[in-house]
Amino acid sequence: MVKTQRNLIKKSPGSRAFDIINVILMLLLVFMTFYPIYYVLVVSLSEGNAVMRGEVSFWPIGFNLSTYALIFEDPSILQSYGNTILYTVVGTAINVICTAFCAYPLSKKEFYGRGFFTLLIVITMFFSGGLIPSYLLVQHLNMLNTIWALVIPGAISVWNMIVMRTFFQGIPQELYESAYIDGSSEFMSFLKITLPLSKPILATMSMFYAVGHWNSFFSAMIYLDEKSKYPLQIILRNMVVMGEMSNQTQELGGVYAAVTATNIKYAVIIIAVLPIIMVYPFIQKYFVKGMMIGSLKG
C-alpha cells in the first residue's frame, strides 16, 4: 500500500531536474576518477610509435603485450615486486598485531593510568624526533639495509589505534563479564571475544596498512643500500621521476621495437596498483562498517 502511494506521487519538474543534474555530476566525477588509470592502461597496451605521436586517447592503438613481456623478463623488476609483497605482508601483520594489542588495554575503563598512557601516545601524533634521529636510532639498532628498518619504526599508527580502541569499546562488557566468571583470563578474552567480533575493523586497518606499505618508497630510499632489496615503488620512482631504466630493460627494449620508455613506465604503474585494486573488493563489505563503527561508537 505504501509503495503504491509512493508511485502515485509525481515529482515536480524542479525535482526531476535536480535528479538529472545529480546523475550528470556523478557520471562526470566517476569519469574524472576512472579515466587517468584507464589512460595509463591504454598507453601500456599501445604501440610505442603511436604513443610518441600522441595518438592514444581512449583506445589502444597497435594493441600489443610486448611491454609486459619485457617487464617480466627483467629480473630486477620481478625481484623488487617480490620485495614489495614481502614488506607488505610482514609489515601489515606487525601493524595489525601491535595496534590491536595497544588498543585493547586502552579500551578498558578499569585499566589504571589509561588516560595518561593515551596522552603519551597521542603526543607522538604531533611531535617526532625527526629524520636524522630516526636514522641514527635505526642505525644503532643494526636494522639498516634490512626489512626491519621498513616495518618496525612505523609499527603503530596512532590514529588507527584510536579508531580500533573506539571499536573495542563498543563491544558489550557483559560478554567479558561472562567470560571472567567462567575463568577466562584477559588474554583469552582478547583472543576468543574481542578479535572474532572485530573482523570489520581488523579488515579496515589491514587495508590501510597494506596500502601504506605497498606505496611506500621514502623509507626504502633512506634505510636500504642494496638495489636487490629495493621495493617496486623505488624502481617505479626511478623510471617516472629520474627517467632511469635498468640495463636489462634497455637491452630488451632494443628487441621489442614497439616499446618505448613511456610504455614501460605506464606498464609498471599498472603492475604496481593492480594487487591493491584486486584486493579491495573482497574487504569492501567490512571497510565502511569498520570505519563508521570505529569512529562513532563510544
Side-chain angles (χ1 to χ4, degrees):
M1 184 65 179
V2 176
K3 292 183 178 180
T4 303
Q5 291 178 351
R6 289 178 178 175
N7 293 334
L8 293 176
I9 299 176
K10 295 183 178 180
K11 291 186 177 181
S12 65
S15 179
R16 288 196 295 269
F18 179 77
D19 291 341
I20 293 173
I21 293 174
N22 273 341
V23 171
I24 294 174
L25 290 176
M26 290 300 103
L27 290 175
L28 288 175
L29 182 61
V30 170
F31 175 79
M32 293 171 60
T33 304
F34 177 73
Y35 180 71
I37 189 64
Y38 173 75
Y39 177 75
V40 171
L41 176 62
V42 168
V43 170
S44 69
L45 294 173
S46 298
E47 195 268 336
N49 292 329
V51 174
M52 294 180 64
R53 292 193 297 267
E55 299 174 354
V56 180
S57 56
F58 289 97
W59 307 105
I61 296 179
F63 181 86
N64 76 92
L65 297 175
S66 300
T67 306
Y68 291 92
L70 186 154
I71 289 174
F72 287 113
E73 289 182 23
D74 188 337
S76 64
I77 294 179
L78 291 179
Q79 187 176 50
S80 65
Y81 204 85
N83 292 339
T84 297
I85 295 174
L86 175 63
Y87 300 155
T88 301
V89 172
V90 175
T92 301
I94 292 175
N95 291 142
V96 174
I97 292 172
C98 292
T99 303
F101 273 107
C102 181
Y104 179 74
L106 295 179
S107 69
K108 298 293 185 178
K109 295 181 180 180
E110 62 272 17
F111 176 55
Y112 183 77
R114 183 180 69 156
F116 173 73
F117 289 112
T118 301
L119 178 61
L120 288 182
I121 294 172
V122 170
I123 288 176
T124 63
M125 294 179 63
F126 307 100
F127 303 98
S128 66
L131 179 59
I132 295 178
S134 299
Y135 181 87
L136 293 177
L137 176 61
V138 171
Q139 184 182 45
H140 288 306
L141 292 175
N142 296 321
M143 294 193 301
L144 285 181
N145 205 36
T146 67
I147 181 177
W148 310 117
L150 306 183
V151 299
I152 296 298
I156 295 180
S157 165
V158 176
W159 174 256
N160 291 345
M161 187 278 296
I162 293 174
V163 173
M164 188 175 290
R165 182 203 64 176
T166 306
F167 187 97
F168 289 167
Q169 288 175 340
I171 297 176
Q173 293 301 312
E174 292 77 10
L175 296 176
Y176 296 111
E177 293 172 0
S178 299
Y180 298 150
I181 292 174
D182 292 336
S184 175
S185 64
E186 199 72 56
F187 183 71
M188 291 304 298
S189 297
F190 173 70
L191 293 181
K192 300 295 185 179
I193 297 176
T194 305
L195 294 184
L197 294 176
S198 303
K199 291 180 181 178
I201 196 65
L202 292 175
T204 302
M205 292 299 114
S206 296
M207 183 67 180
F208 281 171
Y209 282 126
V211 171
H213 283 292
W214 190 270
N215 293 329
S216 176
F217 69 91
F218 186 73
S219 296
M221 290 176 56
I222 300 299
Y223 300 126
L224 298 183
D225 298 326
E226 299 178 18
K227 291 186 177 181
S228 61
K229 297 181 180 179
Y230 281 175
L232 182 63
Q233 298 301 331
I234 290 288
I235 304 298
L236 179 59
R237 174 191 174 274
N238 292 341
M239 287 184 176
V240 176
V241 179
M242 309 299 292
E244 296 179 2
M245 299 286 176
S246 68
N247 294 331
Q248 183 76 8
T249 301
Q250 292 176 358
E251 293 175 2
L252 291 172
V255 178
Y256 296 99
V259 175
T260 65
T262 303
N263 293 92
I264 297 173
K265 293 176 184 178
Y266 283 22
V268 173
I269 292 174
I270 292 296
I271 293 174
V273 302
L274 188 61
I276 296 298
I277 294 176
M278 293 177 63
V279 168
Y280 180 76
F282 294 99
I283 67 171
Q284 184 179 9
K285 62 180 180 180
Y286 299 111
F287 190 80
V288 176
K289 181 180 178 182
M291 283 305 298
M292 290 298 294
I293 296 178
S295 301
L296 300 178
K297 276 196 173 183

